[in-house]
Each structure stands twice: as structure tokens, then as C-alpha cells.
Amino acid sequence: MVLYATMEPCYTVFHKETETFSNIWTNYSEDYETFCSRYKKDIERYGNVKQFIGKPNIPENSFTVSMIPWTTFDAFNLNTPNFKYLVPIFTIGKFVEYNRCFYLPLAVQVHHAVCDGFHVCRFINDIQSLINTI
């Protein structure tokens, strides 16, 4: 078993001119402003790198955040044969406004060998609680 004190988000950057993506990751910080500053620096430095791994040396303690900002969705599933990737994958879509409320689709794909629905629900409820404080 491996347990990390922190996890680093790994996400894609879209290149409009080639319609391709590059992977970038950012060091996590509990302080939101610090994390945002790190994110902005990574985008400035690696955002225009036109290869699959935009920022090298993706850490072992990273997790995937996939973004589909062009559309909203009710469900999303990645079909991967022989799926052995044990870290959760988070997919976020385009937000919509309805009755003066904002809705942001979030799909969480987990490997059942390491996570149950109970834990996913706890995580989603925690996110909702944090959002409700904004």
C-alpha cells in the first residue's frame, strides 16, 4: 500500500491552433492563493509546449483532472479495457446557469479495488459543502 501526504493535480492544456492537448501538473498547496499562483506560473511556462507531456517529471503522487469546457453532461464514462489505473480520474464539464444558480458537471471514475461509492459520495458532499461557503 502507498499513502501520500499530498496529491498533485495533473491536467490537460488545449492548443487551439492544433486542437491537441498537453499534460501539465502543479504542486499542491492547501493555501488557495499559493496554489493558484503555482498554477498560473505552470501555464505561463509550460502551456505552449506542444507535446503530450508539457511539463516533465509527472510525480508518482499525481491524479488526473480532465476538462471538457465545451459542453455540459449528465454522465461521463471512460471505457478503458483492462483498467489498472488505481487513482481517481475527475472530469469537469462546462458550467451552466439555471434559475440564478450555477451547475458544474463533475464525473468521478474510480477503481473499485481501492474505493467504494460511499467514499466517492463523501468526497462529492465535501466539495459541495466547500462550494456552499463561497
Side-chain angles (χ1 to χ4, degrees):
M1 181 167 111
V2 177
L3 182 62
Y4 297 105
T6 62
M7 295 292 289
E8 316 297 346
C10 182
Y11 47 91
T12 53
V13 174
F14 181 65
H15 308 293
K16 290 179 186 178
E17 59 282 353
T18 60
E19 296 184 355
T20 60
F21 295 86
S22 297
N23 282 319
I24 296 178
W25 57 276
T26 297
N27 285 111
Y28 173 75
S29 173
E30 284 189 29
D31 179 71
Y32 181 72
E33 296 301 323
T34 300
F35 178 76
C36 284
S37 175
R38 291 175 182 172
Y39 168 80
K40 289 175 186 175
K41 287 177 185 174
D42 283 337
I43 292 295
E44 288 172 12
R45 183 166 181 193
Y46 302 103
N48 291 318
V49 175
K50 307 271 189 315
Q51 54 193 35
F52 183 67
I53 304 298
K55 181 179 177 182
N57 305 314
I58 296 173
E60 214 176 88
N61 62 323
S62 67
F63 66 96
T64 303
V65 178
S66 178
M67 293 167 267
I68 309 174
W70 306 277
T71 190
T72 189
F73 54 81
D74 292 326
F76 183 82
N77 183 41
L78 297 171
N79 292 302
T80 53
N82 302 317
F83 192 68
K84 295 180 182 175
Y85 188 76
L86 298 179
V87 180
I89 298 173
F90 301 93
T91 305
I92 302 167
K94 179 180 179 180
F95 76 88
V96 294
E97 184 178 359
Y98 179 73
N99 288 336
R100 298 173 53 190
C101 292
F102 291 94
Y103 295 87
L104 179 70
L106 168 66
V108 182
Q109 182 158 325
V110 298
H111 196 296
H112 200 267
V114 294
C115 186
D116 288 317
F118 170 82
H119 301 99
V120 174
C121 289
R122 178 185 281 172
F123 175 77
I124 290 172
N125 289 339
D126 287 349
I127 289 175
Q128 185 64 59
S129 293
L130 289 169
I131 290 170
N132 290 345
T133 65
I134 297 175

